[in-house]
Amino acid sequence: MNLQRILAATLCSMLGSCADFSGVLPHARRVDPQAMDAGSPLQAQGDAAWPRESWWQDYGDAQLDTLVQEVLNGNPDLRAASARVTRAQGFAAMRYGATLPQVEADAAITRTYLTKEELSASPSGAHTFWDSDILLNAAYDLDLWGARRKELMGALDAVRAGDAQERAVQLALITAAVQGYVQLSAQYALREIAQANLEREQRISQIARRRYKAGLGTRLEVDEASTVLSATLAQIDAIEEAIALQNHQLAALAGKGPGVGESIARPALKLEGPVPLPQSLPADLVGHRPDVVAERWRVESAAKEIDVAKAKFYPNINLVAFAGASGLDIGRLLNGNSLTGGFGPAISLPVFNGGILRGNLRVQTASYDIAVESYNEAVIGAFQEVADRVVSLHSLQGQLERTDEALDSAQRAYTLAEQGYRGGLVDYLNVLNAEAELLAEQRVRALIVAQQLLAHTGLMKALGGGYRQGRD
């Protein structure tokens, strides 16, 4: 440490001409989540817990649990994210190694011709020798300005960012699998309603034909009934296509072929419980979102790179040493006369570099600004995403209540029409029309329930899906 201080004091007079940071400063500023107007949707509504890691198990579908596990085990994107973390760890190990003394062993044997001028003491004049060296070289960077340490700290920040980003990829894949599964469930519900509608329209078509044969109806009624029937058949075909495509997508998310998706049975999802937000939402959201945490660590890493760029403006001092044997005769290489060694400082001082150092500082400063703005965008997007999902859930809850009221009315109307038909008070077509209204309301309800599940899934993702910043 004393040697470092002496060398630093000796070089202080040389630093003024080396370091010129004027006009190269970061401009971006990180947003303060506490100072943001979270808006009324994000106000605390009770004391709900943050999502747990296996939040999708709340939907009560064992097949979904298996699917999510297959996605986590087989998705290529997640394996690639894990490999990026390993790569970052490798860079960090390299940066750590650079802070330690470096020792290398070299050995060389070269057949060399030396002229009379090069070897005037030789009695025979010019001669050919075996030029042999066995040396142990050592070097240690004193790191007076902390460049190596900053590089290491920046690399460790990059590892933390990679860890958080891997969790963000994992959360995105889980969300995609759950939402795809919800959409598959909705298609099955729509197919069931469409098939019931098909049966109703087939009865209408049969009635229209009987009336036409009996001279009580027209050909127009028959054709209209057939047209509606064909349209419903086409609708069912489209739903079957959607189910097949959704199965293929879920299989692909799990890293498997389309044939695996064909074995997925009809989902059995349910959503129970309230959707209030945690009371500490504004304070803790940035620590529960892995994408936000990853951006924050990227900002920290970029800040370290600025310090590294500044350190390159200053003189660099290495302590170097070597020891070994060197001679022009391989046969006497290991005797005492061939031993050699040396020790001393090696100083490098940037005098003229054509603006390379200043340009590098501008690059690192701009990279820091980019990282900060990416962090700001992630924070703002996080608040918006949570608020959007909460608004959607509240709206869908109201829509579901109104739809249930309409469904009850349609059910009562259908029951009355059916009773009236049995009592001979109404025509059978009135029964079918009431049934059509009932099926329409059932279809609307199925879509709203699916949208509720999708919004709830989106909220779990927006809240971080069980991630905790402390795991970094």
Side-chain angles (χ1 to χ4, degrees), residues 63 67 181 184 188 246-247 250-251 260-267:
Q63 183 177 233
L67 174 64
Y181 197 75
L184 178 63
Y188 271 104
Q246 200 64 56
N247 284 335
L250 291 173
V260 175
E262 297 174 0
S263 63
I264 299 177
R266 178 174 181 172

Side-chain angles (χ1 to χ4, degrees), residues 31-43 50 277-289 291-292 375-391 458-459 461-464:
V31 298
D32 181 7
Q34 299 302 318
M36 293 185 64
D37 184 358
S40 56
L42 301 191
Q43 300 303 318
W50 286 89
L277 299 176
Q279 290 183 345
S280 58
L281 178 64
D284 294 346
L285 179 59
V286 294
H288 286 75
R289 289 269 303 210
D291 56 337
V292 175
Y375 169 82
N376 294 342
E377 182 179 8
V379 171
I380 295 170
F383 278 92
Q384 178 190 351
E385 191 173 352
V386 176
D388 288 350
R389 299 292 83 76
V390 171
V391 168
L459 179 61
K461 175 180 179 292
L463 292 176

Side-chain angles (χ1 to χ4, degrees), residues 19 51 144 146 158 219 276 331 354 399 448 460 464:
L144 296 178
R219 185 66 191 178
Q399 294 177 43
I448 292 177
M460 296 300 101

Side-chain angles (χ1 to χ4, degrees), residues 297-320:
W297 283 119
R298 291 190 181 102
V299 171
E300 298 294 335
S301 180
K304 305 296 191 309
E305 293 300 326
I306 292 178
D307 294 334
V308 173
K310 289 181 177 180
K312 291 181 179 180
F313 282 78
Y314 301 118
N316 187 43
I317 302 175
N318 289 336
L319 297 180
V320 296

Side-chain angles (χ1 to χ4, degrees), residues 50-55 167 171 288 460 463-468 471:
W50 286 89
R52 57 193 181 97
E53 284 196 49
S54 54
W55 51 267
R167 185 62 178 86
L171 178 57
H288 286 75
M460 296 300 101
L463 292 176
Y467 179 80
R468 297 294 184 274
R471 294 172 189 169

Side-chain angles (χ1 to χ4, degrees), residues 12-81:
C12 278
S13 62
M14 307 166 62
L15 300 182
S17 60
C18 299
D20 180 12
F21 307 143
S22 60
V24 187
L25 296 172
H27 298 290
R29 296 292 181 269
R30 277 191 279 185
V31 298
D32 181 7
Q34 299 302 318
M36 293 185 64
D37 184 358
S40 56
L42 301 191
Q43 300 303 318
Q45 305 166 37
D47 190 14
W50 286 89
R52 57 193 181 97
E53 284 196 49
S54 54
W55 51 267
W56 61 88
Q57 292 180 354
D58 294 339
Y59 300 148
D61 192 323
Q63 183 177 233
L64 176 59
D65 299 340
T66 301
L67 174 64
V68 170
Q69 194 58 50
E70 290 176 347
V71 170
L72 296 179
N73 292 335
N75 188 271
D77 287 341
L78 189 55
R79 291 198 296 266

